[in-house]
Amino acid sequence: MSAEAPRADDHHLARTDEAEMFERLSRSNLVTTWRWYLGVGVAGAVLLWGLIVFLYMAMVGMGVTGYNKPVFWGLYEASLVFWIGLSHSGTLISAILRLTHATWRAPVLRGAEAMTAFTLMVGGLIPIVHLGRNWRVYYALPYPSSRELWPNMRSPLMWDAMAITTYLLGSLTFLYVGMIPDLALLRDKSAGWRRKFYSALSLGFRGTHEQWRRYHVASTLFAILIIPIAVSVHSIVSWDFAMAKTPGWHSTIFAPYFVVGAIFSGIAGVVIVMAILRKAFRLESVLTPLHFDNLGKLLCTMTLLWGYFYFTEFLTVWYNRNPEEWEVFGSYGGHYLPLFLTMVICNFVIPFPMLCLKRVRRSISLILVPACSIVIGMYAERLLIVIPSLARRNDPFIWANYFPTWVEFSVMAGAAAMFVLLYMLFAKFFPIMAISDIKERLFHTTGRTIGGMTVESIAQVEGEGEAHA
Amino acid sequence: MKHTWAMAIDLDRCTGCGACVVACNAENNIPTIGETEAGKNRLMHWIRVNRYWEGEFPEAQAVYLPMPCMQCERAPCELVCPVYATYHNEDGLNAMVYNRCIGTRYCANNCPYSVRVFNWYDYKWEKPLDEQLSPDLTVRSRGVMEKCTFCIQRIRRAKETAAEEGREIRDGDVVPACAQTCPPGALLFGDLADPHSEITRKLKDPRRFRLMEHLGTEPRVVYLKRQKGAGR
Amino acid sequence: MLDRRQFLKLGGATAFATLFGGCDKVQRRLIPFVIPPENYTLGEALWYASGCDQCPAGCGIVVRVSEGRAKKIEGNPLHPVNRGKLCARGQAALQALYHPERFSRPMKRSGPRGSGAYAPVSWEEALSLLMEPLKKIKAEAPSSLLMLTGPMRGHAGLVAGRFMKSFGSPNRVAWDPFGPDAMLSANAAAYGVRDLPEHDLANARYLLSFSGDFLETGISPVHYAREYGRMRGDRETIRGKFVHFGPRLSMTAAAADLFLPCAPGTEGFVALGIAHVMVRDRLTAASSAAGRLADDLGAWSPEEVEKKTGVHAHDIAAAAEEFARNQPGLAIAGTTAATCADGAFHCSAVALLNVLAGNVGKPGGLSFPNRAQAFAKYGPEAGLLSPSPESGYAGTRAALEKMRGGAFRIAFLSGATNPAFTLPPSLKFGEALSKVPFVVAFASFLDETTSLADLVLPVPTALETWGDDLAPVGHAGAITLRQPVVEPFHDTRSMPDILIAAAKELGGEPAKALPWGSFRECIEKAYGGPGGEMEKALQRGGFLGEASSPRSAVRTGGVSLPKAADRPLEGDPKAFPLALHLYPSIALYDGRGANLPWLQEMPDPVSTAVWRNWIEINPKTAAGLGLAEGDGVTVTSPSGKITAHVAFNPGIAPDVAAMPLGQGHTKYGKYANGRGENPISLLPAGETYALQATRVALVKTKLSTALARTGHPEGQWKVKNMM
């Protein structure tokens, strides 16, 4: 693998042909392979199937799902948490890295931010999918109806809707603002309808000193603003559960626990997406093992954090033995044991030891193992949060188990396909690599020879923005 | 006049016979769903009779516990509905507005008693069974939550009759279908705001308890414990 | 009349009002239509009083009728049997009225017998099809007419009885699978009255029940359940104690303070053990009887009884002592004790306890109201109106024999007791009936019996007919009146109406015996007609105020110890290890409720199962057989084999398997068919209609069906989480 890694020398702006670099970074925009068409075709077909099944469910009734009394929520709601959780990679990481001037961040930014936007779009649709009367979803909108009926702001679902909307709008803005210099670059390099398209989107960015200054102020500002939003969003998603009286849900730890879990699964998601982008668009020279190593370290930290949170939650319930909660946790060792084992193994037992090893972190194919296992494990964790708590309600007489039918699976497969499709289209039409950020980094980076080794070193510039012109 | 409708369920009298269940079906246009759906735990009954087992042979015992909507004073279901489809009415009952409901099912998740039922389909009454449908209340469509209302249509009828006759509602004017039919007289309905009503008297009994009191829902359905042995 | 100008003016005004009227009223209320405006009134509904016919208990009902349609049935608060209360079956009668599979017109068989293929015919044609052979046999051999019905009480019974008598046929049989034959003969032996007593539960301080399922399916479940509730909670300082002996934790047993399981078919021995202690410890009120019995009871010491029944000696002694010291108390034997092969012994042994306690004729004890008194004016015919509630098993069996011999040329079938379904298959009801050339069914639904008929005459349900009734217990002499609460929903005619019309056409004796124009006229003539007493009575639901005097001739002295007829259950205990305990289903009764979706979907109080039958066994028994809840099993008895799903009952004796009756229909419509198999097919054909008559073996089997239950197998054990 090390052979693939470009020497630090190549990165130096002075030694890099700008045109070549643009071509290298914009391969996704410039070259369209049959694989792309195939991917879009398959994703589109699955999405269409999901849509048809969703319509079938809406026409016939929720009865076609596996839901029952008392398990009124299931795969849909778990998927909602899963997708919103995945969204926490991008914007949050990107913002933190931006604010902390992490030097390696640049190639990761755009892909992660895009992931946030699209996972949120998918996740944001699920609350509508899961409604018994989807066609009446506008009842939940605060619009001036003839009955002067305002939505119930005491309901966590309303907080949820607002939080997701805010986060989606914020993430889209963050993504868009960060993309403006690159869109300007694309405008300059393209012709025909593409030129018109990019001209409109780049808002007349010409790279003047003032524009760069404003751009930096704006992206820093957004980065600062988006962090509390990101934290609050998943806290609020957790409150959909934690605010309820349901045993197993009603817990103060849920908000931080959900945030940690979200970032955890989000980073794992970013690792997977980056690996795919790297392979698909031949970005080996930009997305280096260094990036995966750094993401791997983050992931390793989150594994520990997640494990700690889970342990503490378990400990209090175990010690307290509140019978109602204990029944829920007891079912982890009973009917829901396979799900529980999947979660523990995929979230901790596999990833933690692997991520401790540098060899794993630096190998793109190896790091995919813990990343994929974490995504699976976190899906299992969400299912485990939503289902057993309902399946083991306060009244033991009406206990019932839940297993999704082909309907839920189809609709959720459609949701996943929607994410893939959106991402592929985005990669086709927008700069998937933050070209200007990469350039900025290269500008500040020099290869220095220390002993027999060449390392990157950074000349930190005071008063950023002035440095460009 | 403000009413505090409440129900007392005397477990010492309840035999678990299920007459209340069928009476409620008849009164409230509750659909039958068939064996397959029943096997998926989707029965639409607004009142169910829980039967628990206790002990082993020969000391085994069955415990019956009828479960209508508890009509909580501090109802968890009302809080979480994003569209006010379930709310507290002026009599202190948890009313359901079917045509407001969008089917988030959150109320059901937040109901510790699990007494809310959901219309998984548009249930059909095969003709001419639909002739039995009561005109006093709607037939609910798919995607809507429903639950026991303390037979709100009977409360309204009693209020109208009382208003027509220019008097206050008397004790016994309102009897929900379940309490009306209960053969051993285990269910008693009345107004706690009326200090002379039978239920006010009955609920002075030290046997009284409410389900899951630790949750602070303040249910309006009060149970009376089973007694042991002869004499009081 | 409206001219054009006026029309335009009005139209304009309306348009103006519509346009601008809406402007000023901004709705300021949160959810306006949940609390409707004051002037928004509900449709006016009327309540009509009538009588229930879902089981022979004879409760009074009131029916809410709105816009010509019955909407809700409730108990008649004035009726002495049920005082406003009603059971699930009574509530569900509404679904029989509006049942999609009801016969709406006469049907003539179009396929082979039993195939259920029928073609509709007009009433004229149907009646001519009926009258032609009827006239023929009236002339040739009147005694070859058979009438096989359910129990018929009131004037319907009078019409049927007079018709048969005047026709010249003595072959009138009434079949009721739960007719308390054993109880009647026991009462005749113990009290000298061959009738059912009133048990004054409400005033009793102690109740001993021997497999008495009086709360669920006994002779009058609503009546007894109400009395039971009063016994428990209506007195300020006294709460009646209830001790139950029986092989199975039934719903009634669960209501008891103390459930003491005994081996199946040993209820009478437990009673003798209690009697022994009462006599030994001089705890009896009736000392003369005690003296006479002392020697005979000597053999039944609690220790001896324990060996035979499995009930601990000290429990028997304690029950005896408590029973004797807490008088007035009652001892009741239930259907499942009575339907043992030697049911009469069990019932007599239990009756002995009442005699020893000396509670006969006292408040809180039992009494025998005079049933015949209500219809005293009919003299010797009074028995037609208030028949003794016998099962008619012997008569039915004799009739089947005669059928096989070709004695009958026409058979009239009527009633909901469905002999083809409720008689043991070894009696071969269908085969015997095939020897009758012409079978006429008076029925509302196609069922196993009706499907054997050549001609089906559709009858109205109880909610659409005139009639009267006298309940078997709890009636206090009250006569229930039935009236059509709704216009007949289909083109139906009641059986008495048809018989009256047939009699008219036959002329001669029958016409004289049934001199009315219609059954309604018969009722009106009997009760004073419209405008008189009857109108008031119809509003109240009958003549409910009459108190009947208790029968004076109650013998309490000359009792003797009942002899246990040693009738072991059929089957070798080695090959068939479990005693089969059959009991009527609370929802479906003898099976007649199986076509009503409300009843099918009512969870059984014990197993919590819906829509299907099951076999109840002890979890320990199941563990031995490797069975889990819901598993399929093949149930084999010496006489038959069926399959069922397993449901656990921790309160059933480990050597007993119990099954409810009522499921297993094959020709009772889509709601009833294919919901398990009929456990009656496991029974041998005995001298009496014994439901506790055989042993069975269980073998695990894979079934394609599943048992839907409301209780979670684990969760149902966690009552501590709730209370």
Side-chain angles (χ1 to χ4, degrees):
Chain A
M1 293 302 270
S2 58
E4 276 179 37
R7 286 188 304 134
D9 284 10
D10 297 346
H11 287 258
H12 199 276
L13 189 62
R15 268 160 270 164
T16 313
D17 176 11
E18 210 172 321
E20 191 214 310
M21 190 184 79
F22 174 79
E23 235 164 73
R24 201 181 334 140
L25 293 177
S26 305
R27 191 181 154 78
S28 70
N29 306 115
L30 305 175
V31 185
T32 310
T33 62
W34 63 269
R35 283 197 184 85
W36 187 85
Y37 285 114
L38 181 72
V40 168
V42 170
V46 176
L47 174 58
L48 189 68
W49 169 247
L51 269 175
I52 291 168
V53 174
F54 164 66
L55 286 176
Y56 162 74
M57 183 187 81
M59 306 288 283
V60 177
M62 292 289 288
V64 296
T65 64
Y67 288 133
N68 58 39
K69 174 176 150 182
V71 191
F72 290 96
W73 285 0
L75 187 72
Y76 289 155
E77 292 72 15
S79 304
L80 162 72
V81 184
F82 174 76
W83 285 106
I84 305 287
L86 273 187
S87 77
H88 274 61
S89 52
T91 308
L92 187 65
I93 296 172
S94 154
I96 292 171
L97 298 184
R98 234 181 243 273
L99 290 176
T100 54
H101 296 296
T103 52
W104 53 273
R105 71 177 195 266
V108 182
L109 289 187
R110 184 69 36 77
E113 284 166 17
M115 192 175 151
T116 296
F118 300 136
T119 47
L120 274 176
M121 284 178 190
V122 174
L125 280 181
I126 294 176
I128 302 172
V129 169
H130 99 131
L131 290 184
R133 299 207 301 168
N134 330 72
W135 56 98
R136 291 274 185 264
V137 64
Y138 63 92
Y139 283 3
L141 298 179
Y143 71 103
S145 77
S146 60
R147 293 184 169 181
E148 301 207 334
L149 190 56
W150 207 246
N152 179 7
M153 289 302 164
R154 296 179 303 168
S155 168
L157 284 180
M158 288 312 296
W159 316 342
D160 202 25
M162 285 189 290
I164 293 176
T165 314
T166 312
Y167 192 39
L168 179 62
L169 291 176
S171 300
L172 281 174
T173 318
F174 192 58
L175 173 69
Y176 179 58
V177 169
M179 224 163 31
I180 287 174
D182 298 340
L183 288 169
L185 196 63
L186 278 172
R187 174 198 59 201
D188 298 342
K189 305 253 177 193
S190 57
W193 69 269
R194 276 176 178 261
R195 192 178 174 87
K196 279 189 194 141
F197 177 64
Y198 293 126
S199 316
L201 285 175
S202 56
L203 302 176
F205 188 87
R206 309 219 159 268
T208 64
H209 181 89
E210 182 61 17
Q211 280 177 334
W212 273 115
R213 199 184 60 77
R214 282 171 192 260
Y215 165 76
H216 276 278
V217 169
S219 50
T220 312
L221 201 63
F222 275 125
I224 294 169
L225 286 175
I226 205 87
I227 291 173
I229 295 179
V231 171
S232 72
V233 166
H234 225 71
S235 301
I236 288 172
V237 169
S238 87
W239 291 337
D240 277 350
F241 303 97
M243 291 292 166
K245 270 190 154 49
T246 315
W249 285 1
H250 189 62
S251 158
T252 51
I253 206 171
F254 258 40
Y257 174 50
F258 266 52
V259 174
V260 164
I263 298 171
F264 185 39
S265 64
I267 296 172
V270 168
V271 170
I272 295 170
V273 168
M274 287 301 135
I276 294 169
L277 286 179
R278 184 175 191 268
K279 184 90 187 152
F281 301 124
R282 312 222 178 121
L283 295 166
E284 287 85 357
S285 60
V286 189
L287 284 164
T288 64
L290 173 80
H291 297 110
F292 288 93
D293 186 23
N294 285 334
L295 285 172
K297 282 176 191 160
L298 264 180
L299 210 47
C300 188
T301 319
M302 297 314 294
T303 307
L304 285 174
L305 255 181
W306 179 88
Y308 169 70
F309 269 100
Y310 207 87
F311 168 72
T312 48
E313 197 204 354
F314 222 116
L315 187 71
T316 48
V317 175
W318 173 79
Y319 189 84
N320 188 24
R321 293 287 173 104
N322 175 348
E324 287 168 345
E325 282 178 337
W326 190 242
E327 296 296 356
V328 176
F329 281 73
S331 74
Y332 293 0
H335 186 82
Y336 293 102
L337 185 66
L339 205 56
F340 178 74
L341 287 180
T342 310
M343 178 191 75
V344 172
I345 292 171
C346 290
N347 272 355
F348 201 83
V349 177
I350 295 177
F352 180 63
M354 283 189 82
L355 288 169
C356 286
L357 302 172
K358 195 172 193 169
R359 204 155 56 81
V360 174
R361 291 201 306 269
R362 291 229 158 205
S363 151
I364 281 92
S365 51
L366 277 182
I367 200 174
L368 278 177
V369 174
C372 289
S373 106
I374 287 168
V375 170
I376 295 167
M378 285 308 287
Y379 212 120
E381 189 236 35
R382 271 71 194 251
L383 288 166
L384 205 61
I385 286 172
V386 175
I387 297 163
S389 289
L390 295 175
R392 298 289 178 273
R393 282 313 300 266
N394 309 54
D395 178 358
F397 184 75
I398 49 101
W399 284 356
N401 293 320
Y402 161 81
F403 196 81
T405 63
W406 63 276
V407 173
E408 287 116 301
F409 286 128
S410 301
V411 175
M412 286 303 105
M418 176 181 160
F419 170 74
V420 173
L421 188 66
L422 284 172
Y423 210 98
M424 290 187 81
L425 290 173
F426 177 81
K428 185 84 290 184
F429 297 107
F430 293 91
I432 193 70
M433 285 290 116
I435 304 169
S436 50
D437 283 76
I438 293 170
K439 277 207 281 185
E440 182 189 323
R441 192 186 122 238
L442 293 179
F443 186 81
H444 296 307
T445 314
T446 343
R448 285 187 188 170
T449 313
I450 301 173
M453 208 168 122
T454 309
V455 295
E456 282 183 39
S457 85
I458 297 184
Q460 180 67 50
V461 184
E462 294 259 351
E464 270 208 353
E466 272 95 349
H468 305 267
Chain B
M1 194 184 122
K2 210 145 166 64
H3 300 283
T4 311
W5 302 116
M7 184 180 279
I9 300 182
D10 191 342
L11 298 181
D12 204 30
R13 284 185 166 209
C14 175
T15 63
C17 71
C20 48
V21 177
V22 180
C24 180
N25 282 358
E27 176 72 22
N28 291 306
N29 298 344
I30 293 170
T32 42
I33 58 173
E35 185 178 18
T36 326
E37 286 295 303
K40 294 179 188 164
N41 291 293
R42 288 175 180 171
L43 286 184
M44 299 298 289
H45 298 155
W46 284 4
I47 181 169
R48 65 172 189 268
V49 185
N50 288 354
R51 190 272 294 119
Y52 301 98
W53 293 126
E54 229 183 356
E56 270 189 36
F57 189 84
E59 269 97 39
Q61 189 47 258
V63 181
Y64 289 107
L65 187 68
M67 295 276 286
C69 170
M70 300 287 145
Q71 308 285 351
C72 306
E73 198 53 58
R74 302 180 54 185
C77 54
E78 292 168 7
L79 207 61
V80 297
C81 176
V83 291
Y84 283 117
T86 180
Y87 78 110
H88 226 61
N89 80 0
E90 80 276 22
D91 280 0
L93 302 178
N94 311 127
M96 252 318 283
V97 191
Y98 304 121
N99 48 11
R100 274 301 293 174
C101 180
I102 56 174
T104 65
R105 308 185 295 291
Y106 201 170
C107 51
N109 283 345
N110 211 21
C111 172
Y113 309 98
S114 304
V115 288
R116 291 178 154 262
V117 292
F118 187 67
N119 284 273
W120 301 101
Y121 296 100
D122 273 325
Y123 296 104
K124 293 276 180 282
W125 275 259
E126 191 183 347
K127 287 199 178 298
L129 277 177
D130 57 348
E131 300 284 356
Q132 73 195 200
L133 290 176
S134 166
D136 293 351
L137 64 168
T138 51
V139 172
R140 282 75 61 182
S141 70
R142 71 178 188 277
V144 167
M145 218 66 218
E146 60 181 65
K147 64 162 192 84
C148 156
T149 63
F150 270 180
C151 286
I152 195 164
Q153 65 277 15
R154 291 182 177 221
I155 297 176
R156 265 166 47 186
R157 205 181 298 141
K159 280 184 178 173
E160 276 161 22
T161 314
E164 257 168 45
E165 293 169 13
R167 58 173 172 86
E168 294 287 328
I169 289 188
R170 286 186 295 250
D171 191 28
D173 273 1
V174 188
V175 187
C178 53
Q180 195 284 324
T181 207
C182 179
L187 308 180
L188 178 68
F189 185 83
D191 186 0
L192 284 180
D194 174 2
H196 307 295
S197 67
E198 203 185 339
I199 191 161
T200 311
R201 211 153 30 81
K202 184 123 186 172
L203 289 185
K204 291 194 176 115
D205 196 313
R207 293 185 294 138
R208 72 181 176 271
F209 73 101
R210 298 187 288 186
L211 283 181
M212 300 177 210
E213 248 169 317
H214 61 282
L215 295 177
T217 51
E218 295 176 22
R220 286 274 185 84
V221 174
V222 185
Y223 291 83
L224 297 170
K225 271 199 194 81
R226 255 198 96 154
Q227 270 185 293
K228 284 281 168 209
R232 288 202 179 272
Chain C
M1 282 299 285
L2 222 64
D3 62 20
R4 190 172 55 93
R5 189 175 295 268
Q6 248 177 325
F7 174 79
L8 286 175
K9 260 191 214 163
L10 277 175
T14 316
F16 182 84
T18 321
L19 272 175
F20 299 99
C23 285
D24 55 349
K25 276 186 191 150
V26 176
Q27 189 52 260
R28 291 284 170 202
R29 297 174 68 181
L30 187 62
I31 304 162
F33 265 91
V34 176
I35 312 122
E38 290 295 309
N39 55 358
Y40 181 85
T41 46
L42 300 165
E44 204 65 41
L46 297 167
W47 291 87
Y48 293 102
S50 191
C52 182
D53 79 333
Q54 289 296 299
C55 80
C59 294
I61 55 172
V62 288
V63 185
R64 181 165 186 249
V65 179
S66 176
E67 322 241 315
R69 292 283 178 263
K71 298 293 180 187
K72 177 83 175 39
I73 302 177
E74 288 183 1
N76 181 354
L78 303 172
H79 201 280
V81 171
N82 54 327
R83 296 271 173 219
K85 303 304 186 182
L86 202 61
C87 71
R89 291 196 298 278
Q91 295 276 357
L94 209 51
Q95 290 204 313
L97 172 60
Y98 296 120
H99 201 285
E101 291 168 320
R102 250 185 85 183
F103 285 124
S104 55
R105 47 198 307 199
M107 298 292 227
K108 190 184 140 190
R109 184 164 60 83
S110 61
R113 258 197 199 176
S115 67
Y118 287 93
V121 291
S122 68
W123 268 106
E124 289 70 41
E125 198 186 336
L127 289 180
S128 71
L129 281 173
L130 170 70
M131 291 315 295
E132 205 178 312
L134 204 59
K135 279 178 187 155
K136 204 163 164 219
I137 66 158
K138 171 82 175 102
E140 292 168 9
S143 68
S144 64
L145 173 67
L146 170 73
M147 185 187 275
L148 176 54
T149 65
M152 288 177 98
R153 299 190 299 243
H155 283 77
L158 181 81
V159 169
R162 280 195 187 171
F163 179 86
M164 291 302 279
K165 189 152 183 258
S166 60
F167 192 85
S169 169
N171 298 306
R172 183 172 171 239
V173 184
W175 164 238
D176 175 11
F178 303 133
D181 295 358
M183 236 170 272
L184 292 175
S185 51
N187 290 349
Y191 312 115
V193 183
R194 195 181 162 78
D195 202 350
L196 294 175
E198 295 292 346
H199 293 100
D200 186 10
L201 287 187
N203 291 309
R205 295 177 62 188
Y206 205 84
L207 174 61
L208 282 175
S209 151
F210 296 84
S211 287
D213 43 9
F214 59 94
L215 293 179
E216 36 195 316
T217 52
I219 293 150
S220 192
V222 178
H223 176 70
Y224 280 126
R226 186 176 167 276
E227 293 279 301
Y228 162 81
R230 293 175 66 202
M231 173 186 99
R232 289 298 210 186
D234 264 13
R235 289 166 290 183
E236 279 302 318
T237 51
I238 304 167
R239 171 182 181 271
K241 187 175 176 180
F242 173 20
V243 177
H244 185 98
F245 298 92
R248 167 180 176 262
L249 181 62
S250 63
M251 188 192 101
T252 306
D257 295 289
L258 189 59
F259 164 55
L260 296 168
C262 67
T266 63
E267 289 88 349
F269 303 121
V270 179
L272 290 183
I274 292 173
H276 172 97
V277 176
M278 286 173 76
V279 170
R280 184 189 67 192
D281 298 352
R282 299 180 196 287
L283 293 165
T284 60
S287 48
S288 61
R292 253 195 309 280
L293 291 168
D295 291 341
D296 292 339
L297 277 171
W300 297 103
S301 70
E303 289 72 24
E304 279 304 309
V305 171
E306 177 175 346
K307 273 182 219 155
K308 225 173 157 71
T309 65
V311 183
H312 289 303
H314 56 84
D315 284 336
I316 293 173
E321 162 125 21
E322 278 188 1
F323 176 63
R325 298 213 187 280
N326 286 291
Q327 285 295 329
L330 277 167
I332 293 184
T335 310
T336 40
T339 50
C340 292
D342 48 358
F345 157 72
H346 297 301
C347 295
S348 308
V350 172
L352 195 63
L353 295 181
N354 287 324
V355 173
L356 286 176
N359 60 21
V360 182
K362 289 187 185 150
L366 50 81
S367 59
F368 287 88
N370 196 343
R371 189 181 306 282
Q373 195 187 43
F375 298 110
K377 67 173 172 182
Y378 288 97
E381 273 187 316
L384 292 175
L385 290 104
S386 56
S388 140
E390 282 170 87
S391 76
Y393 182 70
T396 310
R397 260 175 36 122
L400 287 176
E401 270 318 306
K402 281 201 209 160
M403 272 186 211
R404 282 194 196 93
F408 300 124
R409 287 165 61 184
I410 300 182
F412 284 176
L413 305 176
S414 151
T417 49
N418 197 357
F421 179 80
T422 48
L423 286 172
S426 41
L427 284 182
K428 299 201 172 64
F429 177 82
E431 194 195 291
L433 197 65
S434 67
K435 297 281 190 319
V436 181
F438 188 57
V439 179
V440 184
F442 300 76
S444 290
F445 297 100
L446 186 74
D447 60 22
E448 287 76 7
T449 308
T450 312
S451 66
L452 300 171
D454 301 296
L455 179 68
V456 179
L457 300 175
V459 297
T461 64
L463 299 179
E464 304 159 297
T465 38
W466 291 94
D468 57 342
D469 193 10
L470 183 79
V473 296
H475 56 80
I479 295 170
T480 316
L481 281 187
R482 275 197 197 124
Q483 58 178 327
V485 300
V486 288
E487 285 285 303
F489 195 64
H490 293 298
D491 188 11
T492 52
R493 296 183 193 181
S494 73
M495 182 179 179
D497 270 326
I498 297 169
L499 292 181
I500 290 169
K504 191 146 283 138
E505 205 172 323
L506 288 170
E509 275 300 304
K512 249 182 269 164
L514 310 176
W516 314 284
S518 67
F519 187 50
R520 176 183 181 171
E521 196 188 314
C522 163
I523 298 282
E524 281 173 350
K525 283 248 168 71
Y527 295 109
E533 281 290 290
M534 185 170 160
E535 201 161 297
K536 231 184 279 164
L538 275 177
Q539 282 172 15
R540 292 165 50 86
F543 297 90
L544 307 178
E546 335 271 287
S548 75
S549 53
R551 228 180 278 226
S552 52
V554 174
R555 167 167 55 95
T556 52
V559 284
S560 60
L561 196 71
K563 292 279 174 294
D566 206 17
R567 287 196 201 142
L569 300 177
E570 199 191 38
D572 175 21
K574 283 210 181 68
F576 302 97
L578 301 173
L580 181 68
H581 178 88
L582 294 183
Y583 61 96
S585 149
I586 182 166
L588 314 179
Y589 196 58
D590 55 6
R592 68 181 70 175
N595 66 342
L596 306 182
W598 280 344
L599 296 179
Q600 284 279 10
E601 204 156 297
M602 184 188 106
D604 178 78
V606 175
S607 72
T608 77
V610 292
W611 287 103
R612 189 164 290 282
N613 65 353
W614 63 91
I615 183 157
E616 258 166 59
I617 49 174
N618 193 295
K620 287 174 195 161
T621 316
L625 292 163
L627 292 168
E629 253 184 308
D631 278 355
V633 284
T634 309
V635 187
T636 318
S637 81
S639 309
K641 183 190 267 193
I642 61 169
T643 57
H645 292 273
V646 169
F648 286 178
N649 180 345
I652 193 168
D655 54 353
V656 179
M659 281 192 84
L661 300 174
Q663 297 280 30
H665 286 278
T666 51
K667 294 203 172 69
Y668 200 26
K670 63 184 160 206
Y671 296 117
N673 291 348
R675 313 224 166 261
E677 290 177 72
N678 187 0
I680 288 176
S681 60
L682 297 170
L683 292 178
E687 287 297 308
T688 57
Y689 186 68
L691 294 172
Q692 328 302 331
T694 188
R695 309 181 68 89
V696 290
L698 305 187
V699 179
K700 192 170 173 174
T701 316
K702 198 128 184 77
L703 295 181
S704 59
T705 50
L707 184 66
R709 304 171 63 216
T710 58
H712 187 268
E714 273 173 65
Q716 62 183 354
W717 287 93
K718 303 198 180 241
V719 64
K720 295 234 157 54
N721 291 21
M722 285 298 273
M723 289 191 265

